Amino acid sequence: MDVKQYASKDYDVIVVGAGHAGCEAALAAARMGNETLLVTINLEMVAFMPCNPSIGGPAKGIVVRELDALGGEMGRNIDKTYVQMRMLNTGKGPAVRALRAQADKRAYSIEMKHTIEKEPNLTLRQGIVDNLIVEDGVVRGVITNTGARYGAKSVVLTTGTAARGKIIIGELMYSSGPNNTQPSMKLSGNLEKLGFELKRFKTGTPPRVDGNTIEYGVTEEQPGDKEPNHFSFETSDDDYLNAKDQLSCWLTYTNEKTHELIRANLDRAPMFSGVIEGVGPRYCPSIEDKIVRFADKPRHQLFIEPEGRNTDEFYVQGLSTSMPEEIQQQMVHSIKGLEHAEMMRPGYAIEYDIVSPYQLRPTLETKLISGLYTAGQTNGTSGYEEAAGQGMLAGINAGLHALDKEEVVLKRSDAYIGVMVDDLVTKGTNEPYRLLTSRAEYRLILRHDNADMRLTELGHEIGLISDERYAQFEAKKAAIEAEKARLEGYRIKPNEQVNAFLAEKGAAPLKDGVLASDFLRRPEVTYAELAEFIPEPTEKIDNRVIEQVEIQIKYEGYIKKANQKVEKLKKMEAKKIPDRIDYSAIEGIATEARQKFEKIRPETLAQASRISGVNPADISILAIYIEQGKIAKV
């Protein structure tokens, strides 16, 4: 029986789903001055972490910093609720360093929900959106399962793994969203009727075990950092948890017994029995997939991670599985330190629908329906950070659309968020997409430490960075330039102290005086060591300023070359492709390129050049065709 519909309130922006993408989208739109509705299936699942209870890591941690520089919430929220903080890859260059925090998952969710509840222009409501209201190719609002019709100028879909979600544990299968929540069963069908192409993807989680039953003494402790670190540029070092107050993670490994057990039961593994139809993440495979694909590996790392301060539940990272429950229990007991561990929840696989992302513009607006945006796992990505990054961009653009203002596109040289979105809309994805540093050709520019230098100005222009914070940012920039100028104006002369230091480093002694900036360029010299040979500055310099000075001076040559490549890219990005171009009328373009152009409808020559299967000759012909003005498609 159909539920009777009724007219409810109208909003500027409606966001569907309150996972990590939905929270950022709703907060961004509301903070820009739009009256915003955030509607989600279960209010207890706002910003919930159904998988790994952590934020950050390689590439992902940089995204969180970018979110913060734009005025997003994830960085601030994890800084309030983490139980452990670590900087990864400290022995490597700045382009691959990344911050990672272990989260108190319940506290993270509660704090984000409270932030949303306090936001003046934002209404949080429980409900299931079954249908979109679309008129003449323009979205006008949504209809919930209770019959409420909400009007809107923009709608952002962030349905995640709830979209026709199905949980699989061995032979057991049932409709469900993540963590046994109610799924969204009707919206996918509505999208298909509207003409969208959907795909079926899969992800999974490992078992959770009772921390009271773990033998920690036979595992390797992984404590947090002693030195202060934060995701948000606003968080003070005074707010950093002492190492003794942080919770440790614990490292252990699978072994041959684990592997034999899995191999002996592959016939019951949904991954291999044909039960699972969705495509899983290549970069975060299940343990059974690892055993088959990497048969030569004698063991695989497992991190036993706390889920929070007020729970004894531990997450066994690396043991993601959809094997039957009794096999999972045996797998757990085969692992060193977990021989007597009690499994509190079994791992599971979850299948869900995604919107094929080639159907999106670089703003994350759908090409098919004006004012409709999608973000997060809905677009085929995996990971909280990837979801939040897309949610932020979609929320900003949905907000700008509602305000009738020009939308924002983040280029590949602007942010990892830009890299991700460009990959999705230009290349699509055949598996859950995960950000990697190797995906960014400008990763020396897109660093963890300089996200504010890259994006704070944009955040301020949009209205998400306050004037006070922007003034602090401007002061930081001025301090960086002042200190660089100081180092470029002071000469270090050869003396016994300097040459003794260099000899200890195994470096050649100074014969003539050198600028302090050139002295710092030596790979063996740090800023702290340089400070021993030059006068103290007139005012104390903040550590974050010192970090920027050191990196900018040491990598000046490399950064300059990268920026030159970016300038060339900007010229191609500036060459727009008209919407109504008739690709079938262009002679000389390869058939594959023509088909890809028609499907993806690139907006610039630069985007067209990045499409798989398109070669430079195709781009040259396309460029000439546009310059001749032969563009109209009747």
Side-chain angles (χ1 to χ4, degrees):
M1 179 178 175
D2 290 335
V3 175
K4 186 177 179 180
Q5 294 182 14
Y6 71 95
S8 190
K9 186 176 176 180
D10 290 347
Y11 292 86
D12 296 316
V13 178
I14 294 174
V15 179
V16 180
H20 302 281
C23 289
E24 295 293 349
L27 285 166
R31 288 167 175 170
M32 291 164 65
N34 294 286
E35 193 164 1
T36 304
L37 172 67
L38 175 56
V39 57
T40 191
I41 291 175
N42 186 343
L43 291 183
E44 306 309 313
M45 296 289 286
V46 171
F48 190 71
M49 297 180 176
C51 201
N52 198 328
S54 70
I55 294 291
K60 293 167 176 279
I62 301 174
V63 168
V64 182
R65 275 285 179 106
E66 292 173 350
L67 280 165
D68 187 74
L70 286 168
E73 196 62 34
M74 180 174 266
R76 286 191 287 250
N77 206 63
I78 187 61
D79 282 352
K80 296 175 194 172
T81 57
Y82 72 95
V83 296
Q84 185 197 97
M85 192 81 73
R86 293 183 74 186
M87 181 65 80
L88 308 179
N89 300 328
T90 53
K92 299 180 180 179
V96 293
R97 289 175 199 155
L99 198 55
R100 183 182 187 273
Q102 200 67 28
D104 184 319
K105 65 189 291 182
R106 178 50 59 194
Y108 185 94
S109 173
I110 291 170
E111 182 63 31
M112 185 68 83
K113 181 171 181 277
H114 192 43
T115 298
I116 288 167
E117 290 168 340
K118 291 185 296 183
E119 191 60 43
N121 291 326
L122 183 52
T123 299
L124 178 62
R125 188 158 295 168
Q126 184 165 292
I128 300 176
V129 171
D130 283 346
N131 291 283
L132 299 175
I133 304 169
V134 178
E135 298 172 0
D136 300 322
V138 179
V139 72
R140 300 297 185 190
V142 303
I143 305 171
T144 70
N145 63 334
T146 57
R149 293 174 62 94
Y150 296 102
K153 299 173 184 175
S154 306
V155 174
V156 184
L157 298 182
T158 67
T159 50
T161 59
R164 284 197 294 221
K166 181 169 71 174
I167 280 181
I168 304 167
I169 305 171
E171 295 84 10
L172 174 66
M173 291 182 290
Y174 55 93
S175 293
S176 178
N179 209 49
N180 286 325
T181 55
Q182 192 172 353
S184 170
M185 299 303 292
K186 293 186 178 180
L187 186 56
S188 289
N190 181 230
L191 290 172
E192 287 175 324
K193 285 179 183 177
L194 290 168
F196 287 98
E197 177 192 310
L198 305 186
K199 286 183 179 180
R200 199 78 172 149
F201 274 8
K202 165 259 173 188
T203 189
T205 70
R208 269 70 158 186
V209 298
D210 184 346
N212 296 305
T213 61
I214 297 169
E215 295 180 35
Y216 300 99
V218 296
T219 65
E220 299 173 37
E221 186 174 9
Q222 306 283 304
D225 287 345
K226 294 178 181 178
E227 293 298 316
N229 262 311
H230 317 285
F231 276 104
S232 176
F233 290 96
E234 292 184 291
T235 306
S236 166
D237 284 354
D238 295 337
D239 296 325
Y240 188 69
L241 285 175
N242 290 325
K244 64 181 178 60
D245 295 323
Q246 298 185 42
L247 302 183
S248 290
C249 297
W250 308 85
L251 173 64
T252 187
Y253 299 86
T254 62
N255 52 56
E256 190 52 40
K257 184 179 178 182
T258 318
H259 300 188
E260 285 177 6
L261 180 63
I262 292 169
R263 284 192 289 263
N265 289 280
L266 283 178
D267 59 321
R268 299 187 66 192
M271 276 285 298
F272 296 96
S273 65
V275 170
I276 290 178
E277 298 172 356
V279 181
R282 183 162 35 125
Y283 298 103
C284 186
S286 67
I287 189 63
E288 49 266 38
D289 196 19
K290 288 181 191 175
I291 301 310
V292 171
R293 284 170 54 192
F294 308 108
D296 58 320
K297 298 282 185 183
R299 64 180 191 174
H300 295 278
Q301 280 189 336
L302 302 174
F303 289 94
I304 306 170
E305 303 176 340
E307 297 230 319
R309 289 194 180 278
N310 300 309
T311 178
D312 290 317
E313 205 168 345
F314 277 72
Y315 180 96
V316 188
Q317 185 196 335
L319 202 66
S320 177
T321 182
S322 57
M323 293 288 262
E325 186 173 318
E326 69 271 25
I327 305 301
Q328 292 190 38
Q329 185 70 75
Q330 293 174 49
M331 287 160 53
V332 167
H333 286 165
S334 72
I335 294 161
K336 195 171 183 179
L338 302 180
E339 291 90 345
H340 306 291
E342 289 292 334
M343 193 166 72
M344 297 178 74
R345 309 185 201 211
Y348 63 84
I350 185 167
E351 286 188 347
Y352 54 97
D353 291 333
I354 72 148
V355 174
S356 295
Y358 75 85
Q359 299 167 105
L360 307 174
R361 297 177 52 230
T363 59
L364 294 181
E365 183 184 29
T366 65
K367 297 172 184 174
L368 197 59
I369 297 174
S370 174
L372 178 64
Y373 300 77
T374 61
Q377 285 185 273
T378 301
N379 290 344
T381 58
S382 66
Y384 311 138
E385 303 84 358
E386 287 92 338
Q390 292 170 75
M392 186 78 188
L393 183 62
I396 287 170
N397 283 326
L400 290 169
H401 181 91
L403 295 167
D404 200 25
K405 293 182 178 180
E406 186 178 352
E407 294 174 64
V408 168
V409 173
L410 290 175
K411 300 182 182 66
R412 297 182 71 89
S413 54
D414 292 332
Y416 267 93
I417 298 171
V419 171
M420 168 177 56
V421 171
D422 184 70
D423 281 349
L424 290 170
V425 304
T426 303
K427 302 173 184 176
T429 184
N430 294 318
E431 62 185 7
Y433 176 98
R434 179 180 181 180
L435 261 175
L436 307 166
T437 53
S438 58
R439 295 191 190 274
E441 59 271 52
Y442 306 111
R443 56 185 173 273
L444 186 56
I445 297 172
L446 308 181
R447 304 187 309 274
H448 159 92
D449 61 87
N450 73 344
D452 59 336
M453 297 291 131
R454 293 183 275 120
L455 297 169
T456 301
E457 189 168 339
L458 175 60
H460 184 247
E461 287 173 9
I462 294 166
L464 294 174
I465 296 293
S466 69
D467 289 343
E468 181 184 3
R469 180 172 171 183
Y470 189 67
Q472 293 171 351
F473 164 70
E474 290 280 80
K476 178 182 175 181
K477 279 204 305 184
I480 291 167
E481 292 307 313
E483 180 61 5
K484 284 169 64 178
R486 187 175 80 94
L487 298 184
E488 287 164 1
Y490 184 83
R491 188 169 291 274
I492 296 176
K493 297 177 181 177
N495 59 40
E496 190 175 334
Q497 182 190 6
V498 170
N499 285 334
F501 164 78
L502 292 173
E504 189 178 331
K505 294 281 188 178
L510 283 186
K511 294 182 179 178
D512 299 306
V514 296
L515 294 176
S517 54
D518 289 334
F519 194 73
L520 182 57
R521 282 192 181 91
R522 293 179 171 228
E524 68 273 9
V525 179
T526 66
Y527 180 94
E529 291 167 333
L530 168 68
E532 297 293 321
F533 308 115
I534 61 175
E536 287 188 9
T538 52
E539 294 183 7
K540 190 174 186 294
I541 302 176
D542 184 84
N543 286 335
R544 297 181 190 186
V545 170
I546 291 171
E547 179 183 47
Q548 281 302 297
V549 169
E550 186 163 3
I551 291 171
Q552 288 183 25
I553 287 178
K554 278 189 177 296
Y555 295 91
E556 182 182 18
Y558 299 105
I559 292 171
K560 187 176 180 180
K561 287 181 182 178
N563 282 326
Q564 288 171 348
K565 291 181 180 178
V566 168
E567 288 306 312
K568 289 181 181 178
L569 176 71
K570 283 181 179 178
K571 292 177 181 177
M572 284 192 74
E573 293 285 6
K575 294 180 180 178
K576 303 290 184 182
I577 300 175
D579 289 339
R580 295 174 61 81
I581 191 166
D582 185 0
Y583 290 108
S584 65
I586 306 177
E587 296 180 2
I589 285 183
T591 301
E592 182 181 4
R594 193 188 315 277
Q595 291 170 346
K596 293 285 180 68
F597 289 155
E598 287 285 4
K599 180 179 179 180
I600 295 169
R601 307 296 299 182
E603 297 191 2
T604 67
L605 280 180
Q607 186 188 356
S609 71
R610 293 190 291 270
I611 297 174
S612 176
V614 172
N615 61 50
D618 299 319
I619 298 300
S620 296
I621 294 169
L622 176 59
I624 293 169
Y625 188 80
I626 293 170
E627 286 171 9
Q628 291 174 343
K630 300 176 182 179
I631 57 174
K633 185 176 183 180
V634 180

